Amino acid sequence: MEFIRGFGINLIVLFGLVFIMTFPGVTFHFQRRRLQVFLGCVLGLMTIVIMMNAWSFADGAFYDARTVMISLITLFFPLPTAFLATTLAVIYRAWLGGIGVYAGTLSMVFAFLVGVLWKRHLESKVALRPSLKYLLFGVVVHLTSMLAQLTLPYPENLAAIVRVWPVFLIVFPIATMILALALLDHYQRLADQKALSISEKRYRSLFDHAKLGIFQYNTQGVIESANDAFGLILNAPTQRLIGLEMLTLPNQGIVSALKKSLDGQKSSYEGPYQSVVSGH
């Protein structure tokens, strides 16, 4: 029962982290050093919460999902944030003491180091689907965690490996993969939104400063925006052109061309036009 309770709380905290990080509208400007330190403290405390709900194998030997947490922090957050979070977790584990203090500390240090090396040298080079890549990442992280168990006194070290290897080499890598994919998808959406915003700003700049008169209308033929050059052509303030229902214009040549465009056809009108707004 202790294992089920501790393992359940561990997963809740892990998925809670990802839920907060991927909540719609949540963005972090990681280049700000203060934010890096703040997040390092918060994530370090979250890792400690995971460790507070560990399950015990022997007196002083505790097991939990701290390595999943630290590896993900290192992979997706700035190095100062990951280092601070890992340091806080290591200090807490050292304070707990027990026969597993070296194994517990080393497993976190290894998770941090694997995350750093993977991020710098393998993240962009491993030619696998994201799901397989992050599953492999989770396996590598937790293989090193298994090696850390050898620092337990003999024969407890071998008994611990036999007992916990299914969790470390099957469950934790899968959890790492799922959470990594969620974070990756969130960051990709943020990158797409940023690129779209930049594109819109460039388009708006071209639209506003073009010497050619340009206007946009919706599927009902109502003008939604117009640039200053268009207003000058019609000798009317741009604000008065917004909301004009062009399908009601008396010029049937304009209306005919407009209807074709609304049907998805290329169309044009060439000829005289008298503005219903200014009479020009």
Side-chain angles (χ1 to χ4, degrees):
M1 289 299 296
E2 180 188 7
F3 167 78
I4 296 175
R5 174 183 172 276
F7 186 69
I9 294 176
N10 276 210
L11 290 182
I12 290 172
V13 175
L14 283 171
F15 280 91
L17 165 69
V18 175
F19 176 78
I20 293 172
M21 287 298 303
T22 60
F23 195 79
V26 174
T27 57
F28 294 105
H29 300 286
F30 289 139
Q31 65 272 22
R32 297 177 182 175
R33 186 54 59 90
R34 289 183 180 179
L35 179 60
Q36 292 178 7
V37 173
F38 172 74
L39 286 175
C41 293
V42 171
L43 295 173
L45 291 175
M46 292 183 72
T47 307
I48 291 173
V49 170
I50 288 176
M51 296 166 66
M52 292 173 65
N53 292 278
W55 58 93
S56 178
F57 168 68
D59 186 26
F62 310 107
Y63 295 93
D64 48 65
R66 75 191 79 164
T67 46
V68 177
M69 184 78 161
I70 289 175
S71 63
L72 290 172
I73 294 171
T74 308
L75 197 59
F76 289 97
F77 289 82
L79 183 60
T81 297
F83 180 79
L84 180 56
T86 304
T87 300
L88 291 176
V90 166
I91 291 173
Y92 176 74
R93 184 62 190 90
W95 176 75
L96 289 177
I99 63 171
V101 63
Y102 296 115
T105 300
L106 275 178
S107 65
M108 290 186 283
V109 172
F110 287 159
F112 172 76
L113 293 177
V114 170
V116 171
L117 293 174
W118 188 283
K119 187 174 184 178
R120 289 185 176 179
H121 303 291
L122 296 174
E123 177 65 14
S124 60
K125 296 180 180 178
V126 177
L128 294 173
R129 290 187 301 173
S131 56
L132 293 178
K133 180 169 70 172
Y134 292 119
L135 181 63
L136 177 62
F137 172 71
V139 170
V140 173
V141 168
H142 292 95
L143 275 174
T144 63
S145 297
M146 295 294 293
L147 290 176
Q149 305 313 306
L150 294 175
T151 60
L152 288 167
Y154 179 83
E156 285 86 352
N157 53 3
L158 299 181
I161 291 174
V162 170
R163 184 171 181 179
V164 303
W165 78 261
V167 175
F168 273 65
L169 297 184
I170 299 176
V171 179
F172 281 173
I174 293 175
T176 302
M177 176 194 69
I178 294 172
L179 297 172
L181 290 175
L183 288 168
L184 181 68
D185 179 69
H186 178 66
Y187 288 136
Q188 185 59 55
R189 281 188 280 111
L190 291 179
D192 292 342
Q193 291 172 6
K194 183 177 180 180
L196 179 60
S197 177
I198 293 173
S199 177
E200 288 176 344
K201 287 179 180 178
R202 289 174 178 171
Y203 168 76
R204 176 54 58 181
S205 179
L206 290 172
F207 182 89
D208 291 339
H209 298 97
K211 301 300 181 181
L212 183 69
I214 304 174
F215 64 98
Q216 291 179 318
Y217 50 92
N218 61 23
T219 54
Q220 285 74 47
V222 178
I223 294 180
E224 293 187 330
S225 61
N227 65 1
D228 292 337
F230 186 62
L232 290 174
I233 292 172
L234 297 183
N235 196 25
T238 304
Q239 294 79 5
R240 290 189 61 192
L241 299 171
I242 307 301
L244 178 65
E245 297 180 4
M246 293 192 293
L247 289 173
T248 64
L249 292 175
N251 189 316
Q252 292 305 303
I254 293 287
V255 173
S256 177
L258 175 64
K259 288 181 177 179
K260 288 182 180 179
S261 74
L262 293 177
D263 288 335
Q265 304 176 44
K266 290 184 178 181
S267 63
S268 64
Y269 169 77
E270 183 176 353
Y273 171 73
Q274 184 176 0
S275 172
V276 299
V277 175
S278 66
H280 184 66

